[in-house]
Amino acid sequence: MALKILKPGLSTSIQDLGRPGYFHLGIPISGAMDRFALRAANMLVGNPEDTAALEAVFMGPQIEFTEGAVVAVTGADLPMTLDGEPVAGWTSFAVKAGQTLGFGFLKAGARAYIAVSGGITTKLDLGSRSTYPIGSLGGVGGRAIAEGDLLPVGAGDLSTAGRSVAEELRRMPDTPAKLRVLPGLYWNRLTEAAGHGFFEDNWTVAAEADRMGYRFKGGRALEFVDREQPFGAGADPSNIVDGCYSYGSIQVPGGTEPIVLHRDAVSGGGYFTLGAIVSADMDLIGQLQPNTSVKFVKVDMEQALAARSDRKAMLQKIRDALR
């Protein structure tokens, strides 16, 4: 079976859960920006949760099916039709050979995940099909999908149509979005007032929001504790001698606009990082549109681990309900 891409959408790529294990070599994790939504979509169609699917940003593709399959779309509220007839999100549905899946205008969120029974079976690169265009890895020859592409799909379970994820388990950001932050290695570089201000201020997502990172604007500029800059750190107090960046790190170049490093971000550099978004909230960032209101919320390690446990529990509830 294959998916024939009639229209690619704005930026639609093949993504799975990524390629961990190469960050020390400068190759990012990549994979779905909203891993929760990708897992749910795969569960709905009977695939293993790490199966490759399509990640559509802001605008969906138009896809023709060459054979019958079961499909589910999760994540952003992106209305869709099958041969012109509306179909529901977060619900698996059957498609026949020759039918066409299309999408309307985005209502909420930013990224939708399109899973097909059997999964997309393009070539593996370093153990993953996730598209990382800067490194020409995964996807279709290292790129996003394009008009005319035929995406191979494996054999899947066709008996999974009609399943749905309950609304209370469809995890999406609040308004304003609340992103929990664990202060990190360089937090001591900030003055006490700047540290309080970061969490007190209201922020909005800037236009620079993509798979590498999300920039935030609107808050006060950060103030730094006076020090003599070490050799190699440069003159700006937001600079450090190069250090490693974790997934979710928050760097603040020039002390003005925080940038949260996401799935395709670099693994190190010369900007200080004030901490990191907890892993449980990184999926939420993938659903934020530019100009969305955001509050950063300070947490400790115990709270961060509890958030991770809560997210795992939600996924388990979906698994249990779909069995």
Side-chain angles (χ1 to χ4, degrees):
M1 177 190 169
L3 306 180
K4 184 177 181 180
I5 305 302
L6 304 180
K7 295 180 181 178
L10 182 64
S11 178
T12 306
S13 61
I14 298 169
Q15 301 293 342
D16 51 29
L17 292 182
R19 50 177 64 83
Y22 302 95
F23 210 40
H24 65 295
L25 301 175
I27 299 173
I29 303 168
S30 295
M33 291 279 283
D34 185 347
R35 293 159 63 90
F36 187 96
L38 174 73
R39 287 178 181 273
N42 275 318
M43 283 188 244
L44 282 167
V45 300
N47 292 339
E49 294 174 30
D50 59 351
T51 301
L54 293 177
E55 177 183 86
V57 185
F58 300 144
M59 181 186 299
Q62 187 178 55
I63 304 169
E64 180 182 325
F65 296 86
T66 62
E67 294 181 23
V70 177
V71 178
V73 181
T74 61
D77 186 356
L78 193 59
M80 57 188 158
T81 59
L82 186 64
D83 282 353
E85 294 297 320
V87 287
W90 295 85
T91 300
S92 58
F93 55 93
V95 300
K96 299 176 182 178
Q99 288 192 300
T100 299
L101 180 67
F103 292 85
F105 294 106
L106 182 69
K107 290 186 175 181
R111 289 172 171 81
Y113 292 86
I114 308 164
V116 182
S117 53
I120 296 171
T121 56
T122 47
K123 184 173 72 73
L124 289 166
D125 282 330
L126 301 179
S128 171
R129 296 182 169 89
S130 289
T131 309
Y132 176 51
I134 295 175
S136 295
L137 296 173
V140 183
R143 60 166 172 81
I145 66 170
E147 183 177 337
D149 282 343
L150 285 173
L151 308 181
V153 174
D157 184 354
L158 302 184
S159 68
T160 57
R163 306 199 297 180
S164 183
V165 173
E167 287 197 23
E168 63 269 20
L169 298 177
R170 302 177 186 183
R171 191 166 186 259
M172 294 292 286
D174 295 326
T175 303
K178 297 179 179 63
L179 301 177
R180 288 165 287 191
V181 177
L182 185 65
L185 182 63
Y186 301 103
W187 181 259
N188 65 314
R189 292 286 299 113
L190 297 178
T191 64
E192 185 175 352
H196 287 305
F198 176 77
F199 293 112
E200 292 170 352
D201 288 351
N202 297 312
W203 300 87
T204 58
V205 178
E208 303 88 349
D210 57 26
R211 291 186 53 80
M212 292 190 71
Y214 265 58
R215 185 187 293 270
F216 296 86
K217 61 183 181 180
R220 287 167 283 181
L222 300 178
E223 297 176 341
F224 296 89
V225 175
D226 288 335
R227 71 166 181 175
E228 182 179 345
Q229 288 289 92
F231 176 78
D236 193 292
S238 69
N239 292 352
I240 58 171
V241 179
D242 283 9
C244 297
Y245 296 150
S246 67
Y247 169 56
S249 288
I250 308 170
Q251 61 176 216
V252 194
T256 55
E257 296 180 338
I259 300 172
V260 176
L261 303 181
H262 221 292
R263 305 299 299 181
D264 287 354
V266 297
S267 56
Y271 292 119
F272 102 111
T273 54
L274 58 80
I277 303 295
V278 302
S279 61
D281 289 354
M282 290 298 288
D283 293 333
L284 301 180
I285 293 177
Q287 295 297 350
L288 298 180
Q289 300 178 16
N291 299 315
T292 300
S293 297
V294 170
K295 288 289 290 186
F296 293 109
V297 179
K298 186 177 181 180
V299 297
D300 58 25
M301 181 61 76
E302 184 177 353
Q303 292 169 311
L305 292 173
R308 185 170 67 177
S309 295
D310 290 344
R311 179 180 176 275
K312 287 183 177 179
M314 285 187 72
L315 284 167
Q316 190 58 48
K317 287 180 180 178
I318 296 175
R319 295 185 193 107
D320 293 342
L322 295 179
R323 285 199 178 105

